[in-house]
Amino acid sequence: EVMKEVYDIRSMEQRLKNVLQLDEVHIVPGDSDNYSWVKKEMGRTCVSLMKKNLTGGDNILAVTGGTSIAAVADMVTPDNGLKDVLFVPARGGLGEQVENQANSICATMARKAMGKYRLLFVPDQLSKESYKSLNEEPSVKEILQLIRSANMVIHGVGEAHVMAERRNSSREVLEKLSKDNAVAEAFGYYFNQSGDIIHKVFSIGIQLEDLPVIPTIITVAGGASKARAIQAYLKHGPGQILVTDEGAAQAILQTN
Ligand code: G3H
């Protein structure tokens, strides 16, 4: 029985890899919508991928915010390969509560890995003008340089309306998202079902166009409720490795 379950998961990983056109898919059993330990297991899987892919040299690891990446941070343990890693937040100021912010998660990961970290201190909800001038600040420029030269990015994907509500987005933004049928959010960008960008939060840090040159990108997102969001983001999103759960995997495979 156990062997059959393992076999089923492995075959689901293969099918999902083909449907989503990814290099690697890792599925943990269960559905994180129903059980919080499933999210922790995704975290554990992501940490082993981190350790496997960050070998030798001075690596820079950029992380986003959210509860899924916080679960990754929870599972980090000291490791020879991680102690020379510099942890940085991928983007700053997306309107999240402190525990869900990239900065907090980045600092936790570094502490647990006994590595180093740098943070991005920028206010939320920047106007276009302040966004431009902040980008020119020498201290900000220096850390932006580090962030853009990351070897690895670990990020979450959320449902558009869930994320917009959680970040207390303005009425105008909420209306725009529903009018344009936003389904997914990642890195502060909102996407429709075809994977087109329909809205973007102004914030400094990694922009979507910076991603294609980053050697390893790990997407961590699960739960049947995120099935549509995961698919939409990965339409154009430069994902390579997906860590997800059985709940999301089944829901995606049912519609393909
Ligand atoms: O950008 C996506 C969100 O950070 C995902 O948040 O992991 O709490 O669902 P979550």
Side-chain angles (χ1 to χ4, degrees):
E1 201 44 41
V2 171
M3 284 310 289
K4 185 176 180 302
E5 270 173 39
V6 172
Y7 174 78
D8 286 347
I9 293 253
R10 293 294 162 265
S11 90
M12 233 194 266
E13 285 174 343
Q14 273 306 326
R15 283 185 288 153
L16 203 54
K17 199 174 92 131
N18 294 338
V19 166
L20 300 174
Q21 301 277 311
L22 295 169
D23 298 336
E24 272 181 50
V25 170
H26 300 266
I27 301 174
V28 305
D31 186 328
S32 51
D33 284 346
N34 304 330
Y35 300 103
S36 57
W37 56 262
V38 178
K39 202 175 265 187
K40 294 204 173 95
E41 286 309 310
M42 289 196 291
R44 193 194 305 278
T45 300
C46 183
V47 170
S48 55
L49 291 167
M50 236 161 95
K51 291 179 177 173
K52 190 177 130 203
N53 286 283
L54 288 175
T55 48
D58 289 326
N59 290 302
I60 300 179
L61 170 51
V63 296
T64 67
T67 58
S68 309
I69 309 306
V72 176
D74 278 345
M75 291 297 168
V76 171
T77 50
D79 183 87
N80 250 345
L82 294 184
K83 73 177 194 310
D84 294 322
V85 171
L86 176 66
F87 294 82
V88 294
R91 289 185 92 199
L94 298 182
E96 294 269 17
Q97 291 185 330
V98 172
E99 63 273 24
N100 281 330
Q101 284 170 12
N103 266 347
S104 320
I105 292 170
C106 167
T108 304
M109 263 191 205
R111 180 173 47 78
K112 298 191 94 177
M114 294 165 64
K116 300 158 284 183
Y117 66 94
R118 296 285 303 271
L119 301 180
L120 250 180
F121 294 104
V122 286
D124 286 347
Q125 319 286 346
L126 287 176
S127 67
K128 239 178 228 177
E129 295 72 35
S130 14
Y131 168 80
K132 276 197 186 126
S133 57
L134 251 178
N135 261 309
E136 296 307 317
E137 274 296 314
S139 63
V140 171
K141 266 185 155 167
E142 189 210 334
I143 171 147
L144 280 179
Q145 187 78 39
L146 292 169
I147 294 174
R148 292 215 186 90
S149 51
N151 312 75
M152 181 185 280
V153 172
I154 298 183
H155 76 98
V157 175
E159 285 177 275
H161 67 279
V162 171
M163 296 312 299
E165 300 274 353
R166 190 165 98 187
R167 291 170 176 163
N168 290 316
S169 309
S170 69
R171 178 114 323 268
E172 287 89 331
V173 169
L174 292 175
E175 277 165 10
K176 180 176 169 196
L177 294 177
S178 70
K179 182 171 77 61
D180 294 342
N181 302 312
V183 295
E185 186 280 343
F187 297 100
Y189 290 73
Y190 289 84
F191 308 86
N192 64 16
Q193 193 68 73
S194 320
D196 305 319
I197 299 168
I198 58 177
H199 175 69
K200 160 187 179 181
V201 179
F202 276 105
S203 183
I204 60 168
I206 284 185
Q207 310 299 315
L208 219 50
E209 58 268 26
D210 298 327
L211 290 172
V213 298
I214 294 181
T216 310
I217 300 171
I218 306 180
T219 306
V220 186
S225 61
K226 283 193 186 178
R228 271 183 0 131
I230 294 169
Q231 262 190 291
Y233 167 72
L234 290 173
K235 284 265 160 69
H236 303 313
Q240 307 152 342
I241 304 179
L242 171 67
V243 177
T244 188
D245 62 20
E246 216 179 337
Q250 258 164 3
I252 295 171
L253 290 171
Q254 264 161 23
T255 58
N256 280 277

